[in-house]
Amino acid sequence: MKAMTDFWCPPVLSGRPRPGRLTMRPWLLALLAAFLVVCLGCGKPPMLVNQYLLEYPAPVTGGKTKIPAEVKVDLFSVAQAFNTNAMVYQPQPFQSQTYNYSRWRANPGNLVTDYLIRDLRESGLFQAVFGTDSSGKYRFKLEGGVAEFQEVDAADGWQASLALTVTLLDTTQEELPQRVVFQKNYRVQEPMPEKTPQGLAQGMSRAMEQISARIIHDTYEAARQRTAGR
């Protein structure tokens, strides 16, 4: 009679999930999570941010004799409160806010510098006008800073407020006191047609037009006297 021997063998793991139990691989979970994030964002359109520039004709300065001298305009600095592309407005004293979905196309320092260079060239009053990146030779140099560039909401209306500080230097002079031709502050508050970013851009354009005309006039008269030996 043969002896019967029972051998116990462990169950073979086939890798298949047990009935009633759901398993999912990590990469599939990550893919599903990404898909859900995309779907949640599909219902909201992207926010449109409007960008604004200054727009005004170059000041008319006819009837004057061209000065045989070159002028270079350095990049204007900006006060920290306005050193941003955001469109700043003051709803009431001691407060400062910005428009959410509207911005200046460039920093106020770049805007003021670019338009002043354009206006000086259009005036035709100087032998040449160089920008910030030019290496050409020049006698006079304009330096400046933007002290204010904002909308001011007052009880009697809304105004675009622009304030600049400008210094004209004569580079042919070695001593600083003789090199400084003038240093002046310019400030204009121009009424806005409406309390909107568009209205601010329109008011700021007219303010820059007025200040640019004053700077060109003062620079011309001061440079004319220097070149004439007075």
Side-chain angles (χ1 to χ4, degrees):
M1 184 176 178
K2 295 182 179 179
M4 302 294 296
T5 305
D6 293 332
F7 293 94
W8 178 84
C9 295
V12 178
L13 298 179
S14 63
R16 297 181 180 178
R18 296 180 181 178
R21 183 178 178 183
L22 178 63
T23 61
M24 189 172 296
R25 298 187 180 185
W27 66 267
L28 189 57
L29 284 172
L31 182 62
L32 180 59
F35 176 75
L36 291 175
V37 170
V38 172
C39 289
L40 290 175
C42 290
K44 297 181 180 179
M47 293 296 181
L48 176 64
V49 177
N50 296 313
Q51 301 186 59
Y52 292 87
L53 287 169
L54 303 180
E55 185 174 343
Y56 65 91
V60 178
T61 56
K64 296 181 179 180
T65 304
K66 178 183 291 187
I67 297 175
E70 303 79 18
V71 178
K72 181 177 181 178
V73 182
D74 274 355
L75 178 64
F76 276 47
S77 62
V78 188
Q80 287 302 310
F82 311 104
N83 193 17
T84 173
N85 287 33
M87 302 185 79
V88 180
Y89 68 93
Q90 185 182 65
Q92 53 185 305
F94 309 107
Q95 293 188 9
S96 181
Q97 302 291 337
T98 59
Y99 285 103
N100 290 331
Y101 305 113
S102 299
R103 299 173 64 84
W104 293 110
R105 185 66 178 85
N107 180 278
N110 295 93
L111 288 175
V112 169
T113 303
D114 289 345
Y115 281 91
L116 185 56
I117 292 172
R118 183 205 69 171
D119 295 346
L120 283 165
R121 287 173 176 167
E122 289 290 331
S123 71
L125 298 177
F126 304 94
Q127 188 70 29
V129 177
F130 299 114
T132 58
D133 298 331
S134 176
S135 59
K137 294 182 178 180
Y138 57 90
R139 175 172 179 177
F140 298 100
K141 181 168 70 170
L142 272 174
E143 299 178 346
V146 180
E148 187 177 7
F149 199 90
Q150 69 172 342
E151 169 190 327
V152 176
D153 299 340
D156 56 348
W158 318 294
Q159 296 179 327
S161 186
L162 174 62
L164 305 179
T165 299
V166 176
T167 302
L168 179 64
L169 302 174
D170 185 350
T171 61
T172 62
Q173 302 297 317
E174 296 183 0
E175 299 296 330
L176 183 59
Q178 287 75 36
R179 181 174 294 188
V180 177
V181 182
F182 71 74
Q183 185 175 72
K184 296 185 177 182
N185 298 322
Y186 301 87
R187 181 183 179 87
V188 169
Q189 287 190 319
E190 182 67 23
M192 294 167 46
E194 57 186 16
K195 182 177 168 46
T196 62
Q198 179 77 21
L200 176 56
Q202 292 174 338
M204 194 63 73
S205 296
R206 288 194 292 267
M208 182 62 197
E209 180 180 7
Q210 297 179 49
I211 289 184
S212 180
R214 296 180 191 177
I215 294 174
I216 293 173
H217 174 268
D218 293 344
T219 301
Y220 174 83
E221 292 299 328
R224 182 178 62 83
Q225 293 184 19
R226 283 290 179 111
T227 54
R230 290 180 290 174

